[in-house]
Amino acid sequence: MTDVVVVGGGVAGLVAARDLAEGGAHVVLVEAGERLGGMIRRHTVAGLDLDMGAESFATRTDAVERLAAELGLGNDVVSPDPRGAWLMTRDGRTAPIPQTGFLGIPGSPMAADVLAVVGQGGGLRAQMDSLLPSPVGARAQSLGALVRKRMGERVLDDLVVPVAGGVYSTHPDQLDPDRVAPGLRAALQREGSLARAVLALRSRSTAGSAVQGIRGGIARLVDELVADLETYRVDVRTGTRATAVERFAVETVAADGTRERLPAQHVLASTADPGRTAAADRTGIELVTLVVDQPELDAGPRGTGMLVHPEAAGVGAKALTHATVKWPWLAEAAAGRHVLRLSYATAPHDPVTSDDGVGTSLPVDPEDTVGARAVRDATALLGVPVTADRVQGAARVRWYGPDLTAAGLAEGVVGIGETSSGRGLAGIVAAARASAARILGS
């Protein structure tokens, strides 16, 4: 009998399998696709190796930084350029993201950078938060409902929708505050207002940037995790799909049709139960990367990028990252060129994916429909004409957003990964390591 079977070879599965094997467990990891890493992988655009998915991680905990250090990447953890990002409101106004906020929720509602976005009326309504009893909104089922009750519709629409929605690719009305903002409810009760709760959470967070990256790309985490699986002799089986996930066994089918039952003392799964009948509830995400030779962008006109209200007129992208401004190491590698990453919402059942259901990088012509749209949106968001003749390379990748339907795992199966822990590399890593530690300590 195997000690542990891990279903799913994304980051959660890799982290859990590594920790378990390092702790002395015999681990089998099964992955339906042929590649490991899930949404953390790289592609090459115009000769540059770039992250296909996430290119940073949240620093509200030190989970990813500690993992990076253990993997030998500690000296390559880097902070982004301090200029910060901007946002675009529903009516097309642009402004820097307020400095004292958290997921767009302002810590100082009447600060000048907040009023520049929400206006005097919106600021005054948000300031009423300080007069409301702390239980108001404290039990709201969504982040959107919590903000709406405490600070009003204007703050929600102009700040939280583009910021939190841009970070999690989901409207705040569908975000669980306990997942995306752990401790916010308790801080609200303790501090007496949402604004003070935000300031308290910020004061307790790690000093420095709210996000960090890794020199050379986040995908280096996967490279090192995979190497450690080999070192610790994890039995990795790619091209092997789980057909049944039970408390003490996993049934699989390989690409050649071979079926096997793997008994185990413990089973962890980063996927939904194969027998789940409820349909997945998720959004589609398309990332278009442009590598451009456009000297006018050297000044970084919108800092490290922009978050966009999903209903902003005339712009299809929901976010733009000016990656060569955000990451100095990438600017050095790009040698004067600029890397722009634009993300779009797509139909959830219209992915451009590989056979494992995860994004595949496809080349883009800057003059075709997808490329022309990205060039047009980059121009609108950056305030600088970006022209197709300056595009040296372009690619697109489509992903699924988080599945909001419960994983439906059998009793006793340990759920890890996005399906069970929510979106965000920091939370996924922390939850996977905690699950592995509990098994090792049992």
Side-chain angles (χ1 to χ4, degrees), residues 263-411:
Q265 294 180 11
H266 303 277
V267 173
L268 287 79
S270 62
T271 62
D273 188 88
R276 186 183 72 175
T277 57
D281 179 11
R282 55 193 178 187
T283 58
I285 304 163
E286 180 176 68
L287 174 70
V288 180
T289 299
L290 304 177
V291 178
V292 301
D293 180 11
Q294 200 94 25
E296 297 88 344
L297 295 175
D298 291 351
R302 294 294 184 264
T304 58
M306 292 199 70
L307 295 172
V308 185
H309 192 287
E311 297 179 20
V315 178
K318 64 184 185 63
L320 178 149
T321 300
H322 195 159
T324 37
V325 168
K326 187 173 183 178
W327 305 114
W329 67 263
L330 182 55
E332 182 179 351
R337 295 173 294 172
H338 292 270
V339 177
L340 310 175
R341 291 164 41 108
L342 297 98
S343 57
Y344 296 86
T346 66
H349 302 296
D350 184 28
V352 176
T353 62
S354 61
D355 55 3
D356 60 2
V358 180
T360 294
S361 178
L362 298 176
V364 168
D365 185 332
E367 295 186 353
D368 68 11
T369 301
V370 173
R373 178 190 61 180
V375 168
R376 183 174 61 251
D377 285 350
T379 296
L381 293 173
L382 295 171
V384 170
V386 177
T387 56
D389 61 302
R390 297 294 187 92
V391 177
Q392 296 190 343
R396 69 168 174 166
V397 182
R398 287 189 183 175
W399 306 94
Y400 285 130
D403 186 353
L404 301 177
T405 301
L409 296 170
E411 184 178 356

Side-chain angles (χ1 to χ4, degrees), residues 142-225:
S142 72
L143 184 69
L146 173 58
V147 174
R148 188 181 287 109
K149 289 181 179 180
R150 299 292 314 186
M151 292 189 170
E153 199 73 41
R154 190 67 182 269
V155 162
L156 174 63
D157 196 54
D158 285 354
L159 284 171
V160 182
V161 167
V163 176
V167 170
Y168 290 100
S169 304
T170 306
H171 193 282
D173 282 342
Q174 295 179 308
L175 291 175
D176 181 350
D178 295 325
R179 281 192 173 186
V180 301
L184 184 61
R185 291 187 201 270
L188 168 59
Q189 295 282 47
R190 184 176 62 251
E191 302 294 333
S193 81
L194 185 57
R196 288 195 292 272
V198 165
L199 293 177
L201 290 182
R202 286 177 60 92
S203 70
R204 291 175 173 83
S205 63
T206 304
S209 172
V211 299
Q212 288 182 313
I214 294 177
R215 186 179 290 107
I218 294 292
R220 292 184 65 196
L221 284 174
V222 171
D223 298 338
E224 299 302 327
L225 285 167

